[in-house]
Amino acid sequence: METIPTPRPKTVEAREKVVILFAGDSGDGIQLTGAQFTESNALFGNDVSTFPNYPAEIRAPQGTLAGVSGYQLHFGSVDVFTPGDTCDVLVVMNAAALKANIGKLKHGGIIIANSDGFDAKNLRLSGYPDMENPLTDGSLDNYVLQTVDVTKLTRNALEDTTLGMKEKDRSKNMFVLGFINWMYSRKLDRTREFLKAKFKSKPELLEANMKVLQAGYNYGDTSETFTTRYEVKPAPMPKGTYRNITGNQGIAIGLIAGAQKAGLELFYGSYPITPASDILHELSRNKHFGVKTFQAEDEIAAICSSIGASYGGALGTTASSGPGIALKGEALGLAFMLELPLVVVNVQRGGPSTGLPTKTEQADLWQALFGRNGEAPIPVLAASSPTDCFEMAFEAVKLAVEHMTPVILLSDGYIANGAEPWRFPEAKDLRPIVPPYAKPREAVEGSPDEVEKFLPYARDERGVRPWAVPGMKGLQHRIGGIEKEDKTGNISYDPQNHELMVKLRAEKVQCIADTYRPIRLDSGPESGDLLIVGWGSTYGAIRTAVVELQKEGYSVAHVHLRHMFPFNKGLGGMLKRYGKVLVPEMNSGQLRQLLRAEYLVDAQGLNKVQGMPFASEEIRAGVLKLLKP
C-alpha cells in the first residue's frame, strides 16, 4: 500500500519590511502581478511604495534584455518612503529577467525562478554563453535559489479546460501571485474580486485564472521545498479610510476635488502620451462629477480646447510629457496673455525628443519655467510622491482659479506609476477656492439709465483681473493673444503700454508667493552643517538617507520644494543658515543653477541622468562626500 507523504510543518518568521522585485518578459503580466500584490498588502494595512519599470521599447523581442518588465514593491509594518535600494526576493520568469536584475538582489536574498524560462532559447536570447545556465552552474550560490516550473504547473492546473496552450500560459502570473500570497501569509480574497470584475463577461478565463491562482497558493502550502512563511504586520497609521493610489490617479482626483471646491465643471483635453495617459483614463471614469474628457487630434488642439473651456467658464486642464509640452508652448503663452485659469500637468520622462519614454527624469524644470516666447512667467509646482500628487493638483487648481493664470504641475514617470496608501481627506478639510468673478455693472451715479463701463483688465490688490464668463449681461469684452491696453483690454501697440502690461503680469505671478504657507524643513536642525534641497520624486530617497544620517549624529537637514516658481519667500534665509547646500536631481543641475543665481549660495549638485530614480545609498554617499573635511 502506497504511503502518502505528510507535508512538513511550516514555520512563520516575522519581518519588519520586505522588498520584492517581480521581473519577466513584457507579456508575462508582471505589472498586474505586482499591482495586485500591492493592493493586498495595502488593504492589509502595510505601508507600501512601488516602482513599476517598463521596457523602453514597445515591442522588444521576447526573451531579450530589452523586453524585461519589472515591478518592485516595498511593504512593511513601519513607514517606508522608497521602493527599496535592493530587494529581498527576486521573482524571475526567464533568464533575461534574472540577468537584468540580479545586481539588485541582496547578498543571501531569495531567487524564485521559473525553470521553463531558462531553456536554450531563452539563455541564448539573454546573452548567456553557450552551455551555461545560471540555475545550475553555481553562479547563484550566494543566494537562496528556488526553481519552480511555473509553466508546467500552470498547464497541469488547467488540463481539464478547453483553453488553447497560449491562453493557458497567459495565466502563469496568477500562479506566481498565488504562491507569493502564500509565502507572505496574505489571503486571496482581493485578487479573486479583481478577477471577477475583470473577466465578468469571459467566464472561461475567470475560471482558469481562479484555478491557477489557487494552484500557486496550494503549491506553497503543500510543497516539501518551502518550509517557511513570512509575516509582515500592519503599519501604525492615522485613523481614516485608505485606498491605494498612483501618482496619475492622485492628480486626476486632485483636479476633480479642486473643480468641485471651486464650483466649476472640469474639462480635460489631452492627447495620449506615456506616462501621462492614465490621467485621462482616471478622469474619464468620473463623469458623475461633471468631468468632461476630450481626446484631441494632437497636443495643440488638446490645450487650445482647454483654454476654450476656461473662457467658457469651466476649469480647463490638460496634461502631457516633455515633447508634448513643447508642442503646447505657444498656447501656454496665449493662456498667459488671456489671464484665464488653466492647469497643465507635465509627467516628465527621459528626453530630449522621444528619449526614454518609459523611464523617469526631472529635466523639464527649465522647460516649465522658460519654454515660451516673450516674457511669460507661469507658476510652477512639483509633486513629491503619489499622495502628494493629490495635494499639489488641488493647489494648482486653487492658484489657477484665484489668480487667473495658467499653472504648470510637474510630476514624473516614477511617481506617476508608483503607488502608496492614501487617506481620504474630507471635503471640509480642503481649503476653499473662490473664483474672482466679475460683478454686475452698477448704474452710473446721476444717470440711472447708464451702467459703468466694464474694464476686463482692471486688477485687484493682488493684480488679478476679473473673470467674466461669456453671456453675462454688461460684461462683454475682447480677449486675444495680441497685446492689450491696460484695463480696457483693447488692442494696443503703444510701447509704454506693452512694458507696463509685461510688468503687471509678472507682478501678479510674483504675488502668488504671498499666499504660500511658511517654508518648513522636512526634518533636521534649523541650522547646521548641511541642508539638502530636494524637489519632485527624489523625496523618498532623500528622506530615507537623511533620517539615517541624523540617527548617526550628522548635522543634516532636508527641505523639499513644491513651489518651483515663484520660490517661497523664506527659502533664501533658510539656505544661509547652513554651511553647505546639496541639491540632488535627476538632471544635470537645473534647480541648483536657479538657487545659485537667485540667492548667490554655493549650492552643490548630486546629479543622476540614467532614467532611474535615486537610491537612498546614493544620497547618503553624496552627503558624506560633501561633509568630508
Side-chain angles (χ1 to χ4, degrees), residues 34 133 139 188 216 231-232 242 268 292 363 397 404 425 440 445-446 485 533-534 571 574 586 611:
N133 185 338
S139 61
L188 301 178
E231 182 181 50
V232 182
Y242 287 81
Y268 182 81
K292 292 181 173 61
V397 173
M404 296 289 284
E445 188 174 353
E485 184 181 62
V533 183
L571 178 59
M574 177 181 283
M586 292 187 292

Side-chain angles (χ1 to χ4, degrees), residues 485-522:
E485 184 181 62
D486 183 29
K487 296 184 176 56
T488 69
N490 294 332
I491 292 174
S492 171
Y493 293 101
D494 176 64
Q496 299 301 321
N497 176 76
H498 174 57
E499 185 167 314
L500 174 65
M501 292 298 282
V502 168
K503 181 182 175 186
L504 290 175
R505 289 188 290 257
E507 287 178 348
K508 180 186 76 169
V509 174
Q510 282 292 341
C511 283
I512 288 175
D514 295 336
T515 69
Y516 296 163
R517 293 167 177 162
I519 194 168
R520 63 179 178 84
L521 294 169
D522 187 79

